[in-house]
Amino acid sequence: MRLATYFPALVASALAVEPFWNEPDTGLETFLRSTNWTENSLPALKEMRAIPDFDFAARHFLEDQKYSFYRTAAAGEWSYRNNLEVWSKVKFRMRMLSDVTKVNETMATTILGYNFSAPIFIAPAARGGYGDPERAEINFMEAAASENILYTTALYASKTIEELGAAKSNNTLNGPQVTFQQIYTNANFSVTWDAIARAEKTGAKAIIWTIDAPAGSTRHRAARYDTTNSNSVTSALTWDIYDQMKNRTSLPIIPKGITTVEDALIAIEKGVPAIYISNHGARQLDHSPSPLEIAYEIHRNAPDVFSKVDVLADSGVRYGTDVLKLLALGVKAVGMGRPFMYANCYGLAGVEKAIQIMKTEISHDAAQAGIHDIQKIPSSVLNMRALEDGVFIMEKPGQY
Ligand SMILES: Cc1cc2nc3c(=O)[nH]c(=O)nc-3n(C[C@H](O)[C@H](O)[C@H](O)COP(=O)(O)O)c2cc1C
């Protein structure tokens, strides 16, 4: 281990605080030193054994400005670290001797009634062209098709809505490939209406409405390179706008960025078909909660939410166990943002490999935990006592 890597750990142990590891040590760096890998080059794709390996690879390979745009988070990045670390608060209560031999057959799921091979999806993220300048998000579209998972296209993708629409496959579990289109609603509504119309025309099956970007956010790491937000203008965000949008499109509209039980309940009252729990990968507001904490708050106060609508979630998910924990709380499918952006440095094969790693981990970890049906994971598989400490409890359920 080099001194630069070792030093923070030394300081931390002297101060008796735990160091933060951006990615846990998977042995990749040690291994690469025995190969002909050089610092600024992309390690061979076959060396990517875990999702965090793609972060290591992108950090060494991409120009600093591009990596910083992907990696950045809000302010002191306390939420970014919490998104990655919070999972260890919840331990598994594995049930032994339960027959898990068919668990792999239970991986397939539905989202809004569409069929997918696994409860994971590619979250909407801008500027896929940083990872692969030529093919950009085409790789996400094709990998989602070949692996039969959902891809949610971003308004500020490097490729246009039409270019991505043209890259859709006709040969997926749903027949023609199903995608959802993410949008922002800025003061200039013509941009929103135009994006929705174009998404409809190219066959998107739902609109993901990002509601957690009311203004620019504080992102020091990216500000150094002048690449802070994709959406830096002040956004128009009220439930009235949801009503206006509903008058303009027959597509289902999914609010992305729900972080409290109150907003989840209001969304359901408004008739949304699904909600999307997220703190935007901790890129918007520091000290915003992780998806595990949000899902637990909803599970604790209004568990019916999970049966009334499909609940999607993302932010800080890096392992099969992270996915299983969210599913055990009632989440239907789990997204990842940065991991796929980093994997895109390898093009299509990299994105496919990231999906495959997650699928394998989900299946293995479910079996290890004694889960025999991934679609029906009992919450009793989790010990959530540590989340109870500090959870928000609604004083008068029904009043929010
Ligand atoms: C580089 C980057 C760009 C993003 N762009 C958008 C965007 O345009 N719209 C949006 O709703 N979310 C955007 N997000 C947030 C993701 O949809 C997702 O919520 C987040 O990446 C999940 O956290 P994770 O990166 O830890 O997996 C972006 C995230 C990243 C990392």
Side-chain angles (χ1 to χ4, degrees):
M1 190 185 274
R2 287 174 308 159
L3 190 62
T5 320
Y6 196 44
F7 190 65
L10 276 180
V11 172
S13 66
L15 297 173
V17 289
E18 281 192 27
F20 168 73
W21 302 106
N22 185 61
E23 69 265 355
D25 180 11
T26 65
L28 175 62
E29 192 170 8
T30 311
F31 179 81
L32 288 177
R33 268 189 266 124
S34 68
T35 69
N36 58 4
W37 174 72
T38 51
E39 277 277 326
N40 295 327
S41 65
L42 206 52
L45 180 59
K46 69 179 170 47
E47 314 308 354
M48 300 293 104
R49 306 284 168 157
I51 293 298
D53 288 347
F54 289 103
D55 192 334
F56 175 94
R59 189 168 64 249
H60 285 83
F61 173 68
L62 288 176
E63 290 159 40
D64 291 344
Q65 174 260 329
K66 292 177 176 161
Y67 175 74
S68 295
F69 175 71
Y70 285 169
R71 162 63 181 79
T72 200
E77 301 188 340
W78 301 105
S79 281
Y80 171 84
R81 291 187 283 277
N82 186 54
N83 278 355
L84 297 175
E85 291 181 336
V86 71
W87 308 104
S88 62
K89 281 191 182 173
V90 171
K91 304 284 187 284
F92 282 102
R93 303 181 62 253
M94 303 92 78
R95 300 306 303 272
M96 299 305 169
L97 305 177
S98 55
D99 182 359
V100 294
T101 47
K102 296 208 166 65
V103 68
N104 216 16
E105 291 160 34
T106 66
M107 179 97 81
T109 194
T110 60
I111 306 173
L112 292 190
Y114 297 105
N115 295 313
F116 298 101
S117 67
I120 51 172
F121 64 93
I122 303 179
R127 302 189 204 174
Y130 283 1
D132 182 343
E134 207 176 301
R135 288 174 47 87
E137 294 88 2
I138 303 285
N139 297 323
F140 299 144
M141 188 64 85
E142 291 184 1
S146 62
E147 289 293 330
N148 272 298
I149 67 163
L150 173 66
Y151 173 34
T152 60
T153 50
L155 177 63
Y156 296 127
S158 302
K159 296 287 179 189
T160 63
I161 291 174
E162 290 72 22
E163 284 169 325
L164 291 175
K168 284 186 199 180
S169 162
N170 275 321
N171 191 19
T172 71
L173 285 180
N174 298 299
Q177 186 169 0
V178 167
T179 60
F180 297 171
Q181 174 67 46
Q182 178 267 333
I183 56 148
Y184 287 106
T185 45
N186 298 326
N188 180 358
F189 279 102
S190 60
V191 175
T192 305
W193 307 147
D194 175 62
I196 292 176
R198 289 162 60 204
E200 278 179 343
K201 215 168 165 186
T202 51
K205 296 295 183 209
I207 297 294
I208 292 184
W209 178 34
T210 303
I211 59 169
D212 62 5
S217 58
T218 307
R219 298 180 186 174
H220 302 307
R221 186 184 295 270
R224 291 184 201 292
Y225 302 93
D226 214 13
T227 48
T228 50
N229 297 43
S230 289
N231 190 53
S232 56
V233 285
T234 303
S235 302
L237 288 167
T238 61
W239 281 112
D240 283 349
I241 291 167
Y242 174 77
D243 293 334
Q244 287 181 46
M245 240 187 298
K246 268 185 73 170
N247 288 333
R248 294 241 170 193
T249 180
S250 55
L251 292 180
I253 301 166
I254 306 169
K256 171 176 186 276
I258 297 280
T259 60
T260 60
V261 61
E262 291 97 320
D263 283 343
L265 290 170
I266 294 172
I268 288 174
E269 261 182 19
K270 293 297 286 183
V272 301
I275 59 169
Y276 191 152
I277 291 174
S278 171
N279 71 356
H280 209 118
R283 292 163 80 82
Q284 297 303 102
L285 179 65
D286 209 1
H287 305 290
S288 55
S290 68
L292 188 66
E293 292 158 318
I294 302 164
Y296 185 66
E297 179 177 306
I298 298 173
H299 168 84
R300 194 65 177 69
N301 289 281
D304 286 358
V305 165
F306 295 104
S307 52
K308 285 187 177 149
V309 293
D310 282 356
V311 178
L312 309 181
D314 74 20
S315 297
V317 173
R318 302 291 182 266
Y319 294 94
T321 50
D322 304 344
V323 173
L324 294 173
K325 286 174 185 177
L326 288 170
L327 296 188
L329 284 166
V331 168
K332 197 81 197 279
V334 175
M336 295 194 299
R338 291 182 188 84
F340 289 124
M341 303 307 266
Y342 298 146
N344 203 25
C345 295
Y346 291 93
L348 175 62
V351 183
E352 285 177 336
K353 178 140 190 203
I355 299 169
Q356 289 156 7
I357 287 174
M358 284 306 278
K359 283 182 176 175
T360 305
E361 287 191 13
I362 291 168
S363 157
H364 286 176
D365 296 339
Q368 291 286 349
I371 295 165
H372 42 83
D373 186 345
I374 294 174
Q375 302 311 311
K376 291 191 198 109
I377 307 179
S379 59
S380 59
V381 79
L382 305 179
N383 179 342
M384 299 184 281
R385 287 284 287 277
L387 293 181
E388 184 64 16
D389 185 21
V391 69
F392 170 83
I393 301 290
M394 283 169 83
E395 272 181 25
K396 291 185 184 150
Q399 284 184 19
Y400 40 87

